[in-house]
Amino acid sequence: MEHSIQLLGHLRCPKYSSIRGTMLSVFVKRGSSSRNISSLLSRFQSTLVIAEHNNEKLLPVTLNALTAAKKLGGEVTVLVAGTKCGPIAEQVAKAPGIAKILVAENEAFKGFLPESLTPLVVASQKQFNFSHILAGATAFGKSLLPRIAAKLDVSPISDVIDIKAPDTFVRTIYAGNAVLTLKAKDPVKVVSVRGTSFEAAKLEGGSAKSENAPSGEYKTDLAEFVSQELSKSDRPELTSAKVVVSGGRGMKSGENFKLLYDLADKLNAAVGASRAAVDAGYVPNDLQVGQTGKIVAPELYIAVGISGAIQHLAGMKDSKTIVAINKDPEAPIFQVADHGLVADLFKAVPELTQKL
Amino acid sequence: MARVLVGVKRVIDYAVKVRVKPDKTGVVTEGVKHSMNPFDEIGIEEAVRMKEKKLASEVVAVSCGPAQAQETLRTALAMGADRGIHVEVAGAEYDTLQPIHVSKILAKLAQDEKADLVIVGKQAIDDDCNQTAQMTAAILNWPQGTFASKVEKTGEGLTVTREIDGGLETIKIKMPAVKAKKKPIKKVTPKDLGVDTAARIEVLSVEDPPKRQAGAILPDVDALVAKLKEGGHI
């Protein structure tokens, strides 16, 4: 019921006054229950989710974006674009409640460049007239969605943590120190979704059909993908790991991170770092947790030698349990830690690893 | 040689703990220390370095905001920018100014000033949007090199190393492209530039995030192991 009220509220918006008459007359003719009103109205919400993948595997953040899309009500379409889409479309098809999958397999999408993907999404938007376009707030989503929004002349909404209504979104500002609820006035909502704020949709029970996305000249000479250097790791991926062990400036060197890798192995944890540790060159930048790095919300976050600057807390303070190991009892990290240990990390971490 | 336009924003200093206003309309900005957005400082430094390497002929700093935005422009000039453009936006108009508006302003100036490269920080640390570069590039139909950690001039274009989720990525982009005292500051308005700054969003509320309670300090590693067991983590 709450759902239908939200949708009705949305319809009162003057923007939709032109369709209101038609919709209500359909309702009267059919003499339906309020449940049918809701399903009818929700037809006017239709969401495109842009799948993030690497031509082999669907990346997990897409599953979080699918849950956010469901929350909007209405039909959900998934766009799979890349140089190899078959396996990805097969994986997406298993997600329940998807209306259809648009597939765009083309050499032009090598490297997933926003310059080639944007015209594809704009062409799809022209054909299907979606009310919402969603993707995960990852490096891929953050790079692509604002370009699409500008081409549609709408103001995008970044990194949302909740959806209150089809036009009302919640996001954090000032490094997570304030929570902004906003109403988007533009007709099309282009939204990136914080993965840790929405459950992952399950890939079972669905049987969505694939069809070809609108074809066009998507090859661009504006930009060219050259190469990628991905950090190799057998550990779980940082943003979806259940346990994260992070090191900061207190680690003193890159070699000392081995202490954290040993601890992480015992806990099947991912390893993260503060910006100070990245800037000092101890670890690569893709391990950075914080306002301008990755946002994580694991069951257990162990901060080692991290003081707890505002910018770092922005990336981890939604963790379920926070443990801090730091020799400075005044470190701000202790103000958010559930369990604090004031100790020399070079003694405490090996002891902890050994006792687990 | 290229003319480089660098967008800079005046924001609450990164070290300040912001306070939400009791009426939930925003955060307190009066009497609070402001400075240049840290990512824009990196943008100015990169542009000035390009000038030192004779890859850039002129560095033009642009800031959109109230009168105090001129302080930020002066900082950019002190860092080595050649001149500044202040696009004056204040009051309620500034409260709802979004990256889409700033991008349209930057795109218009890039054309007017015949810029070959626009540099902006990857995100402002106040709104945390991370949108302006991408949108400016889209409006100009120029390529974008976002989250750049290294920029090199190669032939007619640029080779950009980008920080992505799994590591680093290298792309080549064509120029023109978008990747942030006594010298003159020119003042214009969005209207002068033909940019409509009508609000695209309505702020319903700005609130404090849920507070986390500080827990307990444990005496030793054994106590920590016991707590982890208790919590079902091991």
Side-chain angles (χ1 to χ4, degrees), chain B residues 84-129:
Chain B
I85 301 174
H86 174 211
V87 183
E88 192 166 31
V89 187
E93 188 187 17
Y94 188 60
D95 290 342
T96 54
L97 196 76
Q98 294 283 300
I100 188 167
H101 305 118
V102 176
S103 304
K104 287 180 177 182
I105 290 167
L106 287 178
K108 180 70 169 56
L109 287 172
Q111 286 169 327
D112 290 355
E113 299 286 336
K114 299 192 171 51
D116 306 284
L117 182 67
V118 179
I119 301 180
V120 296
K122 79 160 173 174
Q123 80 191 57
I125 60 165
D126 53 0
D127 62 27
D128 282 334
C129 276

Side-chain angles (χ1 to χ4, degrees), chain A residues 140-183:
Chain A
F140 167 80
K142 288 174 183 173
S143 190
L144 176 61
L145 288 179
R147 192 168 178 109
I148 294 167
K151 290 291 186 192
L152 300 173
D153 193 19
V154 302
S155 180
I157 304 142
S158 292
D159 214 359
V160 303
I161 60 169
D162 198 7
I163 295 169
K164 297 276 187 204
D167 64 351
T168 308
F169 302 89
V170 184
R171 57 183 302 268
T172 64
I173 52 177
Y174 291 96
N177 287 299
V179 179
L180 165 69
T181 304
L182 67 93
K183 194 169 179 175

Side-chain angles (χ1 to χ4, degrees), chain A residues 2-31:
Chain A
E2 190 193 329
H3 192 60
S4 67
I5 289 166
Q6 283 178 352
L7 289 163
L8 280 165
H10 187 57
L11 269 182
R12 279 189 214 111
C13 171
K15 222 166 29 225
Y16 286 92
S17 56
S18 59
I19 57 172
R20 181 164 49 189
T22 324
M23 300 237 319
L24 288 179
S25 72
V26 171
F27 162 60
V28 170
K29 273 182 208 159
R30 290 197 180 172

Side-chain angles (χ1 to χ4, degrees), chain A residues 277-300:
Chain A
V278 172
D279 285 352
Y282 301 166
V283 289
N285 68 280
D286 56 296
L287 298 192
Q288 188 188 323
V289 171
Q291 181 184 17
T292 61
K294 294 198 169 74
I295 310 276
V296 301
E299 301 277 319
L300 174 64

Side-chain angles (χ1 to χ4, degrees), chain B residues 64 87-89 93 97 101 105 188-197:
Chain B
C64 307
V87 183
E88 192 166 31
V89 187
E93 188 187 17
L97 196 76
H101 305 118
I105 290 167
V188 294
T189 65
K191 213 174 150 204
D192 297 335
L193 300 169
V195 174
D196 177 6
T197 53

Side-chain angles (χ1 to χ4, degrees), chain B residues 112-158:
Chain B
D112 290 355
E113 299 286 336
K114 299 192 171 51
D116 306 284
L117 182 67
V118 179
I119 301 180
V120 296
K122 79 160 173 174
Q123 80 191 57
I125 60 165
D126 53 0
D127 62 27
D128 282 334
C129 276
N130 192 335
Q131 298 170 348
T132 302
Q134 299 89 314
M135 300 187 84
T136 308
I139 294 161
L140 290 164
N141 205 29
W142 290 4
Q144 63 186 53
T146 48
F147 325 140
S149 62
K150 199 163 111 188
V151 181
E152 291 167 301
K153 181 100 170 71
T154 42
E156 289 300 289
L158 297 172

Side-chain angles (χ1 to χ4, degrees), chain A residues 52 111 113-115 118 137-140 142-144 146-151 153-159 168 171-186 221-232 237 243 266-267 275 285-288 291-294 299-300 302 310-311 316-323 325 329 334-342 347-349 351-352 355-356, chain B residues 11-18 20 26-29 38-39 42 98-101 103-104 122-147 149 159 161-176 199-210 212-225 227-231 233-234:
Chain A
E52 182 170 352
L113 295 172
E115 290 82 352
T118 298
T138 58
F140 167 80
K142 288 174 183 173
S143 190
L144 176 61
R147 192 168 178 109
I148 294 167
K151 290 291 186 192
D153 193 19
V154 302
S155 180
I157 304 142
S158 292
D159 214 359
T168 308
R171 57 183 302 268
T172 64
I173 52 177
Y174 291 96
N177 287 299
V179 179
L180 165 69
T181 304
L182 67 93
K183 194 169 179 175
K185 297 179 168 188
D186 285 314
D221 62 353
L222 289 174
E224 178 195 344
F225 173 80
V226 180
S227 63
Q228 257 184 8
E229 270 174 71
L230 300 183
S231 314
K232 288 264 181 299
E237 196 268 322
V243 182
K266 282 277 174 76
L267 293 163
R275 177 156 184 169
N285 68 280
D286 56 296
L287 298 192
Q288 188 188 323
Q291 181 184 17
T292 61
K294 294 198 169 74
E299 301 277 319
L300 174 64
I302 305 182
I310 296 169
Q311 292 77 12
M316 45 66 79
K317 68 180 177 184
D318 290 331
S319 305
K320 209 156 176 203
T321 301
I322 298 175
V323 170
I325 302 176
F334 288 121
Q335 288 166 21
V336 299
D338 300 282
H339 311 303
L341 194 59
V342 180
K347 291 199 186 100
V349 173
E351 188 187 340
L352 178 59
K355 285 179 172 163
L356 289 178
Chain B
V11 298
I12 292 182
D13 188 84
Y14 75 92
V16 172
K17 174 93 174 71
V18 297
V20 167
V27 305
V28 177
T29 55
F39 290 100
I42 299 172
Q98 294 283 300
I100 188 167
H101 305 118
S103 304
K104 287 180 177 182
K122 79 160 173 174
Q123 80 191 57
I125 60 165
D126 53 0
D127 62 27
D128 282 334
C129 276
N130 192 335
Q131 298 170 348
T132 302
Q134 299 89 314
M135 300 187 84
T136 308
I139 294 161
L140 290 164
N141 205 29
W142 290 4
Q144 63 186 53
T146 48
F147 325 140
S149 62
T159 298
T161 305
R162 305 180 54 228
E163 295 186 349
I164 56 167
D165 288 335
L168 296 170
E169 173 180 289
T170 307
I171 58 167
K172 277 188 187 166
I173 55 179
K174 272 202 174 167
M175 291 269 254
R200 300 303 190 101
I201 65 161
E202 181 188 334
V203 174
L204 298 182
S205 70
V206 175
E207 294 175 62
D208 280 314
R212 260 196 108 95
Q213 295 301 321
I217 297 292
L218 305 171
D220 53 26
V221 171
D222 287 325
L224 175 56
V225 172
K227 285 288 183 194
L228 292 180
K229 273 194 182 137
E230 208 176 287
H233 300 295
I234 51 174

